[in-house]
Amino acid sequence: MKIVVIGGSGLLGSKVVQRLKDGGHEAVPASPRSGVNSVTGEGLLEALSGADVLVDASNAPSFDDDPAMAFFTNSTMNLIVAAKASDIGHYVAMSIVGCDQLPESGYLRAKVAQEKLVEQGTIPYTIVRATQFAEFTDAITASLTVGNEVRVPDALIQPIATQDLADEVALVAEAQPINGIVNIGGPEKISFEQMAGESLARQGESKVVVVDPQATYFGTPLSSGSLVVP
Ligand SMILES: NC(=O)c1ccc[n+]([C@@H]2O[C@H](COP(=O)([O-])OP(=O)(O)OC[C@H]3O[C@@H](n4cnc5c(N)ncnc54)[C@H](OP(=O)(O)O)[C@@H]3O)[C@@H](O)[C@H]2O)c1
């Protein structure tokens, strides 16, 4: 099949492209660096010409509330119009486990808006909600660091290696659309405390991890299971 991966140069997208190529598909990465911009629409129709499947693994350049919302809504509206014009049979969109449970995060509100547009579009689709990338846990730990302490929420997290996720996303792209949501998580649900401890050990850092029920995840209060596969 010809499968176009929007954001195919990114951390996840590049691995999806490689996995699909290894599986014998014509996998085409499409992003600004290859002349395809889903926000302006530049190059979209050319990239999607003759494609069977579109995988959207793009990400916003800014995670701030308004820019993230503008990115995911404009990009998704353009992708739906171009996919329809190109007779795409399966639209695969990347999203985040629990995004609809955490409305205090502007980035997650933008992912929910992206999901809604895909659901309301007329193209057969599969939304893949993934848990946090394992490669992202050092950045999460850094975001929770205050002086010599890492103040973590009393909640669970389920990191997934992007290679493992890419394998799963490729399987979704190869399969029929389900017109629904698939949740994909890493092998273990662990506490933020354990995640931060492992991150610090990996980096040779001697900071102290403190469980703080008031601590937030990028500004969002969490309940124990907010970020893990239900
Ligand atoms: N990080 C996590 O823990 C996590 C968890 C679950 C789901 N996700 C989701 O997974 C997806 C991929 O995340 P990632 O971390 O792999 O992304 P990333 O590494 O930041 O890559 C972003 C990709 O988006 C492309 N892009 C940026 N602006 C674009 C535009 N205007 N038009 C088309 N493509 C554009 C970039 O292209 P250039 O290289 O050409 O700039 C790049 O290929 C996102 O939807 C994210 O919400 C992330």
Side-chain angles (χ1 to χ4, degrees):
M1 287 194 288
K2 178 176 175 182
I3 303 175
V4 174
V5 181
I6 307 295
S9 59
L11 178 61
L12 175 66
S14 58
K15 293 180 175 69
V16 174
V17 168
Q18 190 55 52
R19 162 66 182 72
L20 289 168
K21 283 183 176 168
D22 293 346
H25 298 288
E26 183 191 349
V28 182
S31 73
R33 76 177 70 186
S34 57
V36 182
N37 189 321
S38 55
V39 173
T40 64
E42 179 196 353
L44 269 186
L45 285 174
E46 295 85 343
L48 291 177
S49 171
D52 303 288
V53 179
L54 178 159
V55 178
D56 181 11
S58 66
N59 209 352
S62 165
F63 290 5
D64 291 342
D65 293 9
D66 291 345
M69 183 62 80
F71 177 88
F72 283 115
T73 53
N74 290 325
S75 170
T76 304
M77 285 189 289
N78 285 333
L79 287 174
I80 289 172
V81 169
K84 200 171 167 55
S86 308
D87 209 14
I88 293 288
H90 188 182
Y91 186 120
V92 180
M94 289 307 306
S95 189
I96 301 182
V97 165
C99 60
D100 55 344
Q101 304 300 313
L102 298 168
E104 291 184 58
S105 159
Y107 181 83
L108 294 180
R109 285 198 302 276
K111 297 300 291 183
V112 172
Q114 175 189 14
E115 288 188 353
K116 290 265 174 293
L117 288 167
V118 174
E119 287 166 350
Q120 289 161 4
T122 53
I123 302 163
Y125 69 91
T126 306
I127 292 169
V128 179
R129 286 187 179 175
T131 53
Q132 280 59 49
F133 297 172
E135 291 87 339
F136 192 41
T137 53
D138 290 349
I140 295 172
T141 301
S143 78
L144 296 167
T145 300
V146 182
N148 203 37
E149 289 182 343
V150 183
R151 303 191 70 84
V152 298
D154 188 10
L156 296 169
I157 188 164
Q158 194 177 356
I160 183 164
T162 47
Q163 185 60 61
D164 294 345
L165 177 58
D167 292 348
E168 297 290 335
V169 173
L171 289 174
V172 169
E174 288 169 337
Q176 293 300 309
I178 65 162
N179 295 319
I181 296 172
V182 184
N183 285 294
I184 299 177
E188 268 191 304
K189 296 176 184 176
I190 59 174
S191 63
F192 265 72
E193 183 180 20
Q194 181 179 343
M195 177 214 70
E198 290 173 0
S199 167
L200 293 173
R202 215 170 26 244
Q203 298 176 82
E205 294 252 19
S206 58
K207 294 188 167 68
V208 181
V209 180
V210 179
V211 179
D212 175 358
Q214 307 304 319
T216 60
Y217 175 73
F218 296 106
T220 303
L222 297 178
S223 64
S224 172
S226 304
L227 294 179
V228 298
V229 171

